[in-house]
Amino acid sequence: MTEQLTREDLRRRVAGLLAENDPQATDRLAFLRARYDAGLAWVHYPVGRGGLGLPREWHSDVERQLAEAGAPDNEPRRIGIGLGMAAPTILAFGTPEQQERFLRPLWTGEEVWCQLFSEPGAGSDLAGLATRAVRDGDGWIVNGQKVWTSSAHTARFAILVARTDPDAPKHRGLTYFLCDMTDPGVDVRPLRQLTGEAEFNEVFLTDVRIPDSQRLGAEGEGWKVATATLNNERVAIGGTPMPREGGMVGKVAADWRAHPEARTHDLHQRLLRLWVEAEVARISGMRLRQKLAVGRPGPEGAAMKLTFARLAQHLSGLELELLGEEGLRYESGRGWEMVRPDKVDFTGRDAGYRYLRAKGNSIEGGTSEILRNIVAERVLGLPAEPRTDKDVPWKESVR
Amino acid sequence: MSELNLLPTPDEDDLRSTVAGFLAKRCDTAAIRDMYDGDRSAAGPVWRGLAGELGLAALLVPEELGGAGASAREAAVVLEQVGGSVAPAPFLTSAVVATTVLLAADATDAARDLLRGLAAGERTAALAVPFSAGSGGAVPTMAAEGDRVSGQATSVAGALEADVLLVPVAADGGVAVLAVRAADATVVPVESLDMSRQLADLSLEGAAGEVVVPAGAGAAAIDRALLTGAGLLASEQVGVAAWCLLTTVAYLKERRQFGRVVGGFQALKHRLADLYVAVESANAAARYAAAALAADDADAELAVHLAASYCGDAAVQAAEEAVQLHGGIGMTWEHPAHLYLKRAKSAQIALGAAGAHRDAIGRLVDLPAPD
């Protein structure tokens, strides 16, 4: 039946949801659940999984129509890791039972997700990670330390990659799990960053028990599953739809318009160049999404993320210079106070915070250097970097 | 407002293969190189093939005038291939810029006759303004007494190939455009930075002209033509950039030094990755401009300035990287990289320099210059 749905049918379906669940009179969570069950959570997902199997680009119709009706959203900034990374991976590799159990509360925001990938000894070389998962009856016992984990302090579940076969070469001994963050062996400690805040965490895993039913993909297939997650992450970071001046460039442009007295020719030239680059990046994202409507994210997302990181850094740096004296003062009313935010919002903050936070954009989700390797090797087909440990059993490799 | 489609349609893919196939067979790099030594014999056959055999000069001409009734999207497809082979064909100057002047709403019957000739591939036209002139500026004009035109125009692109010149003339009530036979003008070839699109200086002394756009409508017609030209030149620049990237990547996969393929050195891989991002971004910008022009979208003017400023720089970056990363061979007359560098650098200046397009964006989106 979904094959015959037109965009007009979709519009009527949204209208039907709104008619049966008046957003002003319905409890927020009840509305979100009803929206999921109507297949209007993400229309490109399959029927029964919050979607209708429709083209991805039709989804913006739904968001627009619901926003106009004043419907509550699922606070995407609070649950970005679940929406952008966990969900597509569970959809691609999860069993029907796992999809049934996890996707709905993930989407409604009832269950926040985080990502337990990076470790102190495994950053760019993620496949070298050392967190161990050992078989124990119908489950696994996990021990290790993870780091750079945003949302770990609010998360109910985590996507986790752990080593299940230390005798295999590093890429082949990994397995992917869905980890319950309320397990008593999970210890989340804030990790303070250069912004003064602890948006990230260190996560210590001590004898954490994960039932085998929460393994995602086959044993030893963890690298393949994690790669899919990372490709989705790069699209999530670089390729979300935005209106013109919707990102950081809008902040600088607004400052330029508001402060004629601060304008210099140097700043003007740099602003126009960055404005052009930001707008071209926005259009490139539009083109990438039109391509993705017919396929899965590939390494092209790496290119988007490279651009996004560079622009965020240059724009926030320019903004501080444009603000002059105000740029010397840090976060009015908040300062360097150590807080643990429950969402990531780059644009809702002062320029100084954004300048510092943007430094992470070229590190998190793959450093810009690694992303250039990915583009060079997987898009352009240039020779791979020498890897001395690729075919060596992990336990014998030098770390 | 629905989103503009930035992906090629199946028809556009077919057109691309047709043009690419033709140029691969009939547009020879060695012959283009000879143009720098004064042998222009390559130019005629390539243009006769594109305009006559493939009928591409008819793309922007409406069907009722014998044209194909296609849009800027199809013209962009052709130009990407023209750029990819640095083809010495006046497609941009005749089939885009001059044609757009003649398509002005209040053009005369003479303009429509001329469009029929252009569509048939029997005529070739050039707008008699410097190739550096961009939209939004004052149009340099010649003087007319009755239907007799006198004056000069320097650095005109496409004039050497044209049999008819479209001359902006100062008239009562504004600018008019007159068509003058090229044979009635003195057309002096210019030693040009890009000899695959060689410029010419024009001199007219009482040449007979026929009004194609009446007084008062000429400035707008020319402005629209220069804007459309800049927006579609971006696709040619993408073609140039893509050739430079592909050729350089292919070479670096073969070239060995220190016992290794040099494309495996990370310093070079990272430069090529950055170049790939620039070329892909330019591609998106150029497609957006072509799609906006084709749809007569409200965003078309901004889209053109965006593509023109971005793609011009991207093509130069790609060509400069191609020369550098080819090493010594990239500096030689024999290797074609310099043909692309010369096309890219000239095109960056043509139809309004990148900085002029950025200034225009500043005005359009309310980012004014300091007082």
Side-chain angles (χ1 to χ4, degrees), chain A residues 190-193 196-199 334-341:
Chain A
L191 183 64
R192 198 174 186 192
Q193 294 142 241
E197 302 189 341
E199 176 196 316
R334 179 158 13 194
W336 297 102
E337 184 193 356
M338 150 78 184
V339 292
R340 300 178 83 182

Side-chain angles (χ1 to χ4, degrees), chain A residues 363-379:
Chain A
I363 300 169
E364 60 205 350
T367 66
S368 290
E369 289 67 31
I370 290 292
L371 294 181
R372 287 190 182 93
N373 281 353
I374 289 173
V375 170
E377 293 170 19
R378 305 218 343 246
V379 182

